[in-house]
PDB file of all heavy atoms in Angstrom:
ATOM      1  N   ALA F 263      60.886  81.058  61.805  1.00 86.00           N
ATOM      2  CA  ALA F 263      60.633  81.983  60.692  1.00 86.00           C
ATOM      3  C   ALA F 263      61.436  83.268  60.873  1.00 86.00           C
ATOM      4  O   ALA F 263      62.017  83.795  59.911  1.00 86.00           O
ATOM      5  CB  ALA F 263      59.141  82.298  60.593  1.00 86.00           C
ATOM      6  N   ALA F 264      61.479  83.767  62.107  1.00 87.00           N
ATOM      7  CA  ALA F 264      62.256  84.976  62.387  1.00 87.00           C
ATOM      8  C   ALA F 264      63.743  84.738  62.162  1.00 87.00           C
ATOM      9  O   ALA F 264      64.450  85.596  61.611  1.00 87.00           O
ATOM     10  CB  ALA F 264      62.001  85.441  63.824  1.00 87.00           C
ATOM     11  N   LEU F 265      64.233  83.566  62.569  1.00 83.00           N
ATOM     12  CA  LEU F 265      65.649  83.252  62.386  1.00 83.00           C
ATOM     13  C   LEU F 265      66.010  83.062  60.912  1.00 83.00           C
ATOM     14  O   LEU F 265      67.102  83.429  60.481  1.00 83.00           O
ATOM     15  CB  LEU F 265      66.013  81.995  63.183  1.00 83.00           C
ATOM     16  CG  LEU F 265      65.998  82.162  64.710  1.00 83.00           C
ATOM     17  CD1 LEU F 265      66.274  80.825  65.400  1.00 83.00           C
ATOM     18  CD2 LEU F 265      67.032  83.199  65.142  1.00 83.00           C
ATOM     19  N   ILE F 266      65.081  82.488  60.132  1.00 82.00           N
ATOM     20  CA  ILE F 266      65.335  82.344  58.691  1.00 82.00           C
ATOM     21  C   ILE F 266      65.490  83.716  58.046  1.00 82.00           C
ATOM     22  O   ILE F 266      66.427  83.961  57.273  1.00 82.00           O
ATOM     23  CB  ILE F 266      64.188  81.567  58.014  1.00 82.00           C
ATOM     24  CG1 ILE F 266      64.176  80.113  58.479  1.00 82.00           C
ATOM     25  CG2 ILE F 266      64.359  81.601  56.491  1.00 82.00           C
ATOM     26  CD1 ILE F 266      62.966  79.336  57.979  1.00 82.00           C
ATOM     27  N   LEU F 267      64.580  84.631  58.372  1.00 83.00           N
ATOM     28  CA  LEU F 267      64.649  85.976  57.810  1.00 83.00           C
ATOM     29  C   LEU F 267      65.912  86.699  58.283  1.00 83.00           C
ATOM     30  O   LEU F 267      66.534  87.447  57.516  1.00 83.00           O
ATOM     31  CB  LEU F 267      63.403  86.773  58.201  1.00 83.00           C
ATOM     32  CG  LEU F 267      62.092  86.293  57.566  1.00 83.00           C
ATOM     33  CD1 LEU F 267      60.905  87.045  58.152  1.00 83.00           C
ATOM     34  CD2 LEU F 267      62.138  86.480  56.057  1.00 83.00           C
ATOM     35  N   PHE F 268      66.290  86.484  59.536  1.00 84.00           N
ATOM     36  CA  PHE F 268      67.515  87.096  60.053  1.00 84.00           C
ATOM     37  C   PHE F 268      68.733  86.590  59.282  1.00 84.00           C
ATOM     38  O   PHE F 268      69.621  87.371  58.924  1.00 84.00           O
ATOM     39  CB  PHE F 268      67.666  86.781  61.548  1.00 84.00           C
ATOM     40  CG  PHE F 268      68.940  87.303  62.150  1.00 84.00           C
ATOM     41  CD1 PHE F 268      69.070  88.647  62.456  1.00 84.00           C
ATOM     42  CD2 PHE F 268      70.003  86.451  62.406  1.00 84.00           C
ATOM     43  CE1 PHE F 268      70.247  89.140  63.008  1.00 84.00           C
ATOM     44  CE2 PHE F 268      71.182  86.926  62.952  1.00 84.00           C
ATOM     45  CZ  PHE F 268      71.303  88.284  63.259  1.00 84.00           C
ATOM     46  N   ALA F 269      68.760  85.284  59.000  1.00 78.00           N
ATOM     47  CA  ALA F 269      69.896  84.713  58.276  1.00 78.00           C
ATOM     48  C   ALA F 269      69.958  85.214  56.838  1.00 78.00           C
ATOM     49  O   ALA F 269      71.035  85.494  56.303  1.00 78.00           O
ATOM     50  CB  ALA F 269      69.813  83.176  58.301  1.00 78.00           C
ATOM     51  N   GLU F 270      68.791  85.335  56.191  1.00 77.00           N
ATOM     52  CA  GLU F 270      68.765  85.698  54.781  1.00 77.00           C
ATOM     53  C   GLU F 270      68.867  87.194  54.540  1.00 77.00           C
ATOM     54  O   GLU F 270      69.297  87.617  53.461  1.00 77.00           O
ATOM     55  CB  GLU F 270      67.489  85.151  54.129  1.00 77.00           C
ATOM     56  CG  GLU F 270      67.438  83.632  54.075  1.00 77.00           C
ATOM     57  CD  GLU F 270      66.213  83.122  53.335  1.00 77.00           C
ATOM     58  OE1 GLU F 270      65.293  83.918  53.092  1.00 77.00           O
ATOM     59  OE2 GLU F 270      66.188  81.927  53.016  1.00 77.00           O
ATOM     60  N   VAL F 271      68.486  88.010  55.530  1.00 78.00           N
ATOM     61  CA  VAL F 271      68.511  89.462  55.337  1.00 78.00           C
ATOM     62  C   VAL F 271      69.732  90.096  55.988  1.00 78.00           C
ATOM     63  O   VAL F 271      70.405  90.936  55.381  1.00 78.00           O
ATOM     64  CB  VAL F 271      67.219  90.098  55.900  1.00 78.00           C
ATOM     65  CG1 VAL F 271      67.286  91.615  55.798  1.00 78.00           C
ATOM     66  CG2 VAL F 271      66.005  89.574  55.150  1.00 78.00           C
ATOM     67  N   VAL F 272      70.039  89.700  57.229  1.00 80.00           N
ATOM     68  CA  VAL F 272      71.112  90.352  57.987  1.00 80.00           C
ATOM     69  C   VAL F 272      72.446  89.644  57.797  1.00 80.00           C
ATOM     70  O   VAL F 272      73.450  90.269  57.428  1.00 80.00           O
ATOM     71  CB  VAL F 272      70.749  90.420  59.488  1.00 80.00           C
ATOM     72  CG1 VAL F 272      71.880  91.071  60.275  1.00 80.00           C
ATOM     73  CG2 VAL F 272      69.455  91.189  59.679  1.00 80.00           C
ATOM     74  N   ILE F 273      72.455  88.338  58.043  1.00 73.00           N
ATOM     75  CA  ILE F 273      73.722  87.612  57.985  1.00 73.00           C
ATOM     76  C   ILE F 273      74.310  87.617  56.582  1.00 73.00           C
ATOM     77  O   ILE F 273      75.527  87.647  56.408  1.00 73.00           O
ATOM     78  CB  ILE F 273      73.532  86.169  58.499  1.00 73.00           C
ATOM     79  CG1 ILE F 273      73.153  86.188  59.982  1.00 73.00           C
ATOM     80  CG2 ILE F 273      74.796  85.346  58.293  1.00 73.00           C
ATOM     81  CD1 ILE F 273      72.977  84.825  60.588  1.00 73.00           C
ATOM     82  N   CYS F 274      73.446  87.605  55.540  1.00 70.00           N
ATOM     83  CA  CYS F 274      73.969  87.597  54.177  1.00 70.00           C
ATOM     84  C   CYS F 274      74.744  88.877  53.878  1.00 70.00           C
ATOM     85  O   CYS F 274      75.728  88.859  53.130  1.00 70.00           O
ATOM     86  CB  CYS F 274      72.843  87.403  53.170  1.00 70.00           C
ATOM     87  SG  CYS F 274      71.785  88.847  52.947  1.00 70.00           S
ATOM     88  N   LYS F 275      74.331  90.018  54.465  1.00 73.00           N
ATOM     89  CA  LYS F 275      75.075  91.264  54.266  1.00 73.00           C
ATOM     90  C   LYS F 275      76.453  91.182  54.896  1.00 73.00           C
ATOM     91  O   LYS F 275      77.433  91.673  54.332  1.00 73.00           O
ATOM     92  CB  LYS F 275      74.277  92.431  54.855  1.00 73.00           C
ATOM     93  CG  LYS F 275      72.968  92.704  54.138  1.00 73.00           C
ATOM     94  CD  LYS F 275      72.248  93.890  54.738  1.00 73.00           C
ATOM     95  CE  LYS F 275      70.935  94.170  54.006  1.00 73.00           C
ATOM     96  NZ  LYS F 275      70.194  95.309  54.594  1.00 73.00           N
ATOM     97  N   ILE F 276      76.525  90.572  56.080  1.00 71.00           N
ATOM     98  CA  ILE F 276      77.825  90.380  56.727  1.00 71.00           C
ATOM     99  C   ILE F 276      78.701  89.465  55.878  1.00 71.00           C
ATOM    100  O   ILE F 276      79.907  89.699  55.714  1.00 71.00           O
ATOM    101  CB  ILE F 276      77.629  89.792  58.142  1.00 71.00           C
ATOM    102  CG1 ILE F 276      76.788  90.739  58.998  1.00 71.00           C
ATOM    103  CG2 ILE F 276      78.975  89.521  58.805  1.00 71.00           C
ATOM    104  CD1 ILE F 276      76.440  90.186  60.365  1.00 71.00           C
ATOM    105  N   GLU F 277      78.090  88.427  55.314  1.00 65.00           N
ATOM    106  CA  GLU F 277      78.838  87.490  54.469  1.00 65.00           C
ATOM    107  C   GLU F 277      79.398  88.189  53.235  1.00 65.00           C
ATOM    108  O   GLU F 277      80.551  87.988  52.858  1.00 65.00           O
ATOM    109  CB  GLU F 277      77.919  86.340  54.056  1.00 65.00           C
ATOM    110  CG  GLU F 277      78.603  85.301  53.184  1.00 65.00           C
ATOM    111  CD  GLU F 277      77.639  84.222  52.738  1.00 65.00           C
ATOM    112  OE1 GLU F 277      76.433  84.346  53.012  1.00 65.00           O
ATOM    113  OE2 GLU F 277      78.091  83.259  52.099  1.00 65.00           O
ATOM    114  N   TYR F 278      78.576  89.018  52.591  1.00 66.00           N
ATOM    115  CA  TYR F 278      79.023  89.725  51.396  1.00 66.00           C
ATOM    116  C   TYR F 278      80.165  90.683  51.705  1.00 66.00           C
ATOM    117  O   TYR F 278      81.094  90.840  50.916  1.00 66.00           O
ATOM    118  CB  TYR F 278      77.858  90.498  50.764  1.00 66.00           C
ATOM    119  CG  TYR F 278      76.820  89.609  50.134  1.00 66.00           C
ATOM    120  CD1 TYR F 278      75.482  90.002  50.069  1.00 66.00           C
ATOM    121  CD2 TYR F 278      77.165  88.360  49.617  1.00 66.00           C
ATOM    122  CE1 TYR F 278      74.524  89.189  49.494  1.00 66.00           C
ATOM    123  CE2 TYR F 278      76.209  87.532  49.062  1.00 66.00           C
ATOM    124  CZ  TYR F 278      74.897  87.958  48.993  1.00 66.00           C
ATOM    125  OH  TYR F 278      73.946  87.139  48.434  1.00 66.00           O
ATOM    126  N   ARG F 279      80.101  91.337  52.857  1.00 69.00           N
ATOM    127  CA  ARG F 279      81.184  92.246  53.241  1.00 69.00           C
ATOM    128  C   ARG F 279      82.481  91.485  53.475  1.00 69.00           C
ATOM    129  O   ARG F 279      83.560  91.959  53.115  1.00 69.00           O
ATOM    130  CB  ARG F 279      80.791  93.017  54.500  1.00 69.00           C
ATOM    131  CG  ARG F 279      79.718  94.070  54.271  1.00 69.00           C
ATOM    132  CD  ARG F 279      79.419  94.842  55.534  1.00 69.00           C
ATOM    133  NE  ARG F 279      78.373  95.845  55.308  1.00 69.00           N
ATOM    134  CZ  ARG F 279      77.906  96.652  56.257  1.00 69.00           C
ATOM    135  NH1 ARG F 279      78.377  96.555  57.498  1.00 69.00           N
ATOM    136  NH2 ARG F 279      76.969  97.536  55.972  1.00 69.00           N
ATOM    137  N   MET F 280      82.376  90.318  54.083  1.00 63.00           N
ATOM    138  CA  MET F 280      83.572  89.501  54.303  1.00 63.00           C
ATOM    139  C   MET F 280      84.169  89.050  52.978  1.00 63.00           C
ATOM    140  O   MET F 280      85.391  89.040  52.794  1.00 63.00           O
ATOM    141  CB  MET F 280      83.224  88.286  55.174  1.00 63.00           C
ATOM    142  CG  MET F 280      82.850  88.643  56.598  1.00 63.00           C
ATOM    143  SD  MET F 280      82.258  87.223  57.536  1.00 63.00           S
ATOM    144  CE  MET F 280      83.685  86.151  57.460  1.00 63.00           C
ATOM    145  N   LEU F 281      83.316  88.675  52.029  1.00 60.00           N
ATOM    146  CA  LEU F 281      83.808  88.217  50.735  1.00 60.00           C
ATOM    147  C   LEU F 281      84.411  89.358  49.934  1.00 60.00           C
ATOM    148  O   LEU F 281      85.310  89.144  49.118  1.00 60.00           O
ATOM    149  CB  LEU F 281      82.661  87.567  49.943  1.00 60.00           C
ATOM    150  CG  LEU F 281      82.150  86.244  50.484  1.00 60.00           C
ATOM    151  CD1 LEU F 281      80.968  85.755  49.661  1.00 60.00           C
ATOM    152  CD2 LEU F 281      83.253  85.188  50.487  1.00 60.00           C
ATOM    153  N   ASP F 282      83.918  90.587  50.145  1.00 60.00           N
ATOM    154  CA  ASP F 282      84.467  91.734  49.428  1.00 60.00           C
ATOM    155  C   ASP F 282      85.893  92.039  49.863  1.00 60.00           C
ATOM    156  O   ASP F 282      86.709  92.517  49.074  1.00 60.00           O
ATOM    157  CB  ASP F 282      83.586  92.974  49.638  1.00 60.00           C
ATOM    158  CG  ASP F 282      82.301  92.886  48.834  1.00 60.00           C
ATOM    159  OD1 ASP F 282      82.268  92.087  47.869  1.00 60.00           O
ATOM    160  OD2 ASP F 282      81.333  93.592  49.176  1.00 60.00           O
ATOM    161  N   LYS F 283      86.172  91.791  51.140  1.00 59.00           N
ATOM    162  CA  LYS F 283      87.501  92.108  51.659  1.00 59.00           C
ATOM    163  C   LYS F 283      88.543  91.105  51.179  1.00 59.00           C
ATOM    164  O   LYS F 283      89.642  91.462  50.822  1.00 59.00           O
ATOM    165  CB  LYS F 283      87.463  92.135  53.199  1.00 59.00           C
ATOM    166  CG  LYS F 283      86.647  93.284  53.758  1.00 59.00           C
ATOM    167  CD  LYS F 283      86.670  93.277  55.269  1.00 59.00           C
ATOM    168  CE  LYS F 283      85.858  94.437  55.829  1.00 59.00           C
ATOM    169  NZ  LYS F 283      85.838  94.444  57.310  1.00 59.00           N
ATOM    170  N   THR F 284      88.221  89.868  51.182  1.00 57.00           N
ATOM    171  CA  THR F 284      89.167  88.848  50.732  1.00 57.00           C
ATOM    172  C   THR F 284      88.409  87.658  50.181  1.00 57.00           C
ATOM    173  O   THR F 284      87.388  87.259  50.712  1.00 57.00           O
ATOM    174  CB  THR F 284      90.096  88.399  51.884  1.00 57.00           C
ATOM    175  OG1 THR F 284      90.947  87.356  51.416  1.00 57.00           O
ATOM    176  CG2 THR F 284      89.302  87.893  53.073  1.00 57.00           C
ATOM    177  N   GLN F 285      88.926  87.124  49.101  1.00 73.00           N
ATOM    178  CA  GLN F 285      88.257  85.989  48.477  1.00 73.00           C
ATOM    179  C   GLN F 285      89.272  85.176  47.698  1.00 73.00           C
ATOM    180  O   GLN F 285      90.081  85.726  46.954  1.00 73.00           O
ATOM    181  CB  GLN F 285      87.145  86.462  47.540  1.00 73.00           C
ATOM    182  CG  GLN F 285      86.377  85.321  46.890  1.00 73.00           C
ATOM    183  CD  GLN F 285      85.213  85.826  46.071  1.00 73.00           C
ATOM    184  OE1 GLN F 285      84.954  87.016  46.038  1.00 73.00           O
ATOM    185  NE2 GLN F 285      84.528  84.936  45.399  1.00 73.00           N
ATOM    186  N   GLU F 286      89.225  83.879  47.871  1.00 76.00           N
ATOM    187  CA  GLU F 286      90.099  82.989  47.131  1.00 76.00           C
ATOM    188  C   GLU F 286      89.342  82.410  45.943  1.00 76.00           C
ATOM    189  O   GLU F 286      88.161  82.115  46.038  1.00 76.00           O
ATOM    190  CB  GLU F 286      90.609  81.855  48.027  1.00 76.00           C
ATOM    191  CG  GLU F 286      91.530  82.328  49.149  1.00 76.00           C
ATOM    192  CD  GLU F 286      92.046  81.183  49.989  1.00 76.00           C
ATOM    193  OE1 GLU F 286      91.772  80.021  49.626  1.00 76.00           O
ATOM    194  OE2 GLU F 286      92.695  81.447  51.021  1.00 76.00           O
ATOM    195  N   MET F 287      90.044  82.280  44.845  1.00 80.00           N
ATOM    196  CA  MET F 287      89.422  81.749  43.642  1.00 80.00           C
ATOM    197  C   MET F 287      90.354  80.746  42.978  1.00 80.00           C
ATOM    198  O   MET F 287      91.575  80.876  43.034  1.00 80.00           O
ATOM    199  CB  MET F 287      89.076  82.874  42.664  1.00 80.00           C
ATOM    200  CG  MET F 287      90.261  83.688  42.204  1.00 80.00           C
ATOM    201  SD  MET F 287      89.801  85.092  41.118  1.00 80.00           S
ATOM    202  CE  MET F 287      88.942  84.260  39.803  1.00 80.00           C
ATOM    203  N   ASN F 288      89.756  79.728  42.379  1.00 83.00           N
ATOM    204  CA  ASN F 288      90.501  78.722  41.623  1.00 83.00           C
ATOM    205  C   ASN F 288      90.289  78.981  40.139  1.00 83.00           C
ATOM    206  O   ASN F 288      89.144  79.048  39.687  1.00 83.00           O
ATOM    207  CB  ASN F 288      90.036  77.309  41.989  1.00 83.00           C
ATOM    208  CG  ASN F 288      90.261  76.988  43.453  1.00 83.00           C
ATOM    209  OD1 ASN F 288      91.325  77.249  43.993  1.00 83.00           O
ATOM    210  ND2 ASN F 288      89.256  76.441  44.102  1.00 83.00           N
ATOM    211  N   VAL F 289      91.374  79.130  39.414  1.00 86.00           N
ATOM    212  CA  VAL F 289      91.289  79.477  38.005  1.00 86.00           C
ATOM    213  C   VAL F 289      92.044  78.435  37.177  1.00 86.00           C
ATOM    214  O   VAL F 289      93.209  78.123  37.464  1.00 86.00           O
ATOM    215  CB  VAL F 289      91.881  80.876  37.726  1.00 86.00           C
ATOM    216  CG1 VAL F 289      91.779  81.209  36.246  1.00 86.00           C
ATOM    217  CG2 VAL F 289      91.176  81.925  38.563  1.00 86.00           C
ATOM    218  N   PHE F 290      91.356  77.903  36.168  1.00 87.00           N
ATOM    219  CA  PHE F 290      91.995  77.009  35.205  1.00 87.00           C
ATOM    220  C   PHE F 290      92.319  77.806  33.953  1.00 87.00           C
ATOM    221  O   PHE F 290      91.474  78.546  33.440  1.00 87.00           O
ATOM    222  CB  PHE F 290      91.079  75.835  34.850  1.00 87.00           C
ATOM    223  CG  PHE F 290      91.582  74.999  33.708  1.00 87.00           C
ATOM    224  CD1 PHE F 290      92.565  74.041  33.905  1.00 87.00           C
ATOM    225  CD2 PHE F 290      91.091  75.190  32.425  1.00 87.00           C
ATOM    226  CE1 PHE F 290      93.038  73.283  32.852  1.00 87.00           C
ATOM    227  CE2 PHE F 290      91.552  74.432  31.365  1.00 87.00           C
ATOM    228  CZ  PHE F 290      92.533  73.473  31.578  1.00 87.00           C
ATOM    229  N   MET F 291      93.547  77.649  33.464  1.00 87.00           N
ATOM    230  CA  MET F 291      93.977  78.402  32.285  1.00 87.00           C
ATOM    231  C   MET F 291      94.736  77.492  31.333  1.00 87.00           C
ATOM    232  O   MET F 291      95.645  76.776  31.739  1.00 87.00           O
ATOM    233  CB  MET F 291      94.856  79.579  32.699  1.00 87.00           C
ATOM    234  CG  MET F 291      95.319  80.441  31.539  1.00 87.00           C
ATOM    235  SD  MET F 291      96.273  81.870  32.096  1.00 87.00           S
ATOM    236  CE  MET F 291      96.514  82.719  30.550  1.00 87.00           C
ATOM    237  N   GLU F 292      94.317  77.523  30.085  1.00 87.00           N
ATOM    238  CA  GLU F 292      95.049  76.844  29.022  1.00 87.00           C
ATOM    239  C   GLU F 292      95.735  77.920  28.188  1.00 87.00           C
ATOM    240  O   GLU F 292      95.076  78.854  27.714  1.00 87.00           O
ATOM    241  CB  GLU F 292      94.095  76.019  28.156  1.00 87.00           C
ATOM    242  CG  GLU F 292      94.806  75.185  27.102  1.00 87.00           C
ATOM    243  CD  GLU F 292      93.836  74.363  26.273  1.00 87.00           C
ATOM    244  OE1 GLU F 292      92.651  74.299  26.661  1.00 87.00           O
ATOM    245  OE2 GLU F 292      94.264  73.801  25.244  1.00 87.00           O
ATOM    246  N   TYR F 293      97.039  77.797  28.032  1.00 86.00           N
ATOM    247  CA  TYR F 293      97.794  78.857  27.374  1.00 86.00           C
ATOM    248  C   TYR F 293      98.849  78.264  26.439  1.00 86.00           C
ATOM    249  O   TYR F 293      99.139  77.057  26.469  1.00 86.00           O
ATOM    250  CB  TYR F 293      98.458  79.767  28.409  1.00 86.00           C
ATOM    251  CG  TYR F 293      99.494  79.072  29.256  1.00 86.00           C
ATOM    252  CD1 TYR F 293     100.852  79.096  28.918  1.00 86.00           C
ATOM    253  CD2 TYR F 293      99.124  78.371  30.399  1.00 86.00           C
ATOM    254  CE1 TYR F 293     101.806  78.453  29.694  1.00 86.00           C
ATOM    255  CE2 TYR F 293     100.058  77.722  31.166  1.00 86.00           C
ATOM    256  CZ  TYR F 293     101.399  77.755  30.827  1.00 86.00           C
ATOM    257  OH  TYR F 293     102.330  77.097  31.574  1.00 86.00           O
ATOM    258  N   ASN F 294      99.432  79.139  25.635  1.00 84.00           N
ATOM    259  CA  ASN F 294     100.447  78.725  24.665  1.00 84.00           C
ATOM    260  C   ASN F 294     101.694  79.573  24.850  1.00 84.00           C
ATOM    261  O   ASN F 294     101.651  80.790  24.670  1.00 84.00           O
ATOM    262  CB  ASN F 294      99.899  78.902  23.235  1.00 84.00           C
ATOM    263  CG  ASN F 294     100.785  78.231  22.201  1.00 84.00           C
ATOM    264  OD1 ASN F 294     101.912  77.849  22.489  1.00 84.00           O
ATOM    265  ND2 ASN F 294     100.279  78.095  20.985  1.00 84.00           N
ATOM    266  N   GLY F 295     102.784  78.944  25.237  1.00 79.00           N
ATOM    267  CA  GLY F 295     104.054  79.642  25.386  1.00 79.00           C
ATOM    268  C   GLY F 295     104.329  80.087  26.810  1.00 79.00           C
ATOM    269  O   GLY F 295     103.422  80.459  27.555  1.00 79.00           O
ATOM    270  N   ASN F 296     105.620  80.094  27.155  1.00 81.00           N
ATOM    271  CA  ASN F 296     106.024  80.500  28.505  1.00 81.00           C
ATOM    272  C   ASN F 296     105.858  82.000  28.723  1.00 81.00           C
ATOM    273  O   ASN F 296     105.764  82.454  29.868  1.00 81.00           O
ATOM    274  CB  ASN F 296     107.481  80.096  28.756  1.00 81.00           C
ATOM    275  CG  ASN F 296     107.655  78.584  28.806  1.00 81.00           C
ATOM    276  OD1 ASN F 296     106.741  77.870  29.226  1.00 81.00           O
ATOM    277  ND2 ASN F 296     108.804  78.096  28.361  1.00 81.00           N
ATOM    278  N   GLU F 297     105.854  82.765  27.639  1.00 83.00           N
ATOM    279  CA  GLU F 297     105.695  84.210  27.771  1.00 83.00           C
ATOM    280  C   GLU F 297     104.343  84.564  28.374  1.00 83.00           C
ATOM    281  O   GLU F 297     104.230  85.499  29.173  1.00 83.00           O
ATOM    282  CB  GLU F 297     105.856  84.878  26.405  1.00 83.00           C
ATOM    283  CG  GLU F 297     105.775  86.395  26.464  1.00 83.00           C
ATOM    284  CD  GLU F 297     105.904  87.038  25.091  1.00 83.00           C
ATOM    285  OE1 GLU F 297     106.157  86.294  24.123  1.00 83.00           O
ATOM    286  OE2 GLU F 297     105.747  88.268  25.003  1.00 83.00           O
ATOM    287  N   CYS F 298     103.326  83.800  27.992  1.00 85.00           N
ATOM    288  CA  CYS F 298     101.983  84.044  28.541  1.00 85.00           C
ATOM    289  C   CYS F 298     101.972  83.821  30.046  1.00 85.00           C
ATOM    290  O   CYS F 298     101.402  84.623  30.792  1.00 85.00           O
ATOM    291  CB  CYS F 298     100.974  83.141  27.856  1.00 85.00           C
ATOM    292  SG  CYS F 298      99.275  83.349  28.465  1.00 85.00           S
TER     293      CYS F 298
END
């Protein structure tokens, strides 16, 4: 129970900070024309 709370309260903050610094994303785009 203590480890669950540690993971959900403490480790999640570390995770969010890591994601704020760098994050990869996959984006699908449908477009018209090479200018876009």
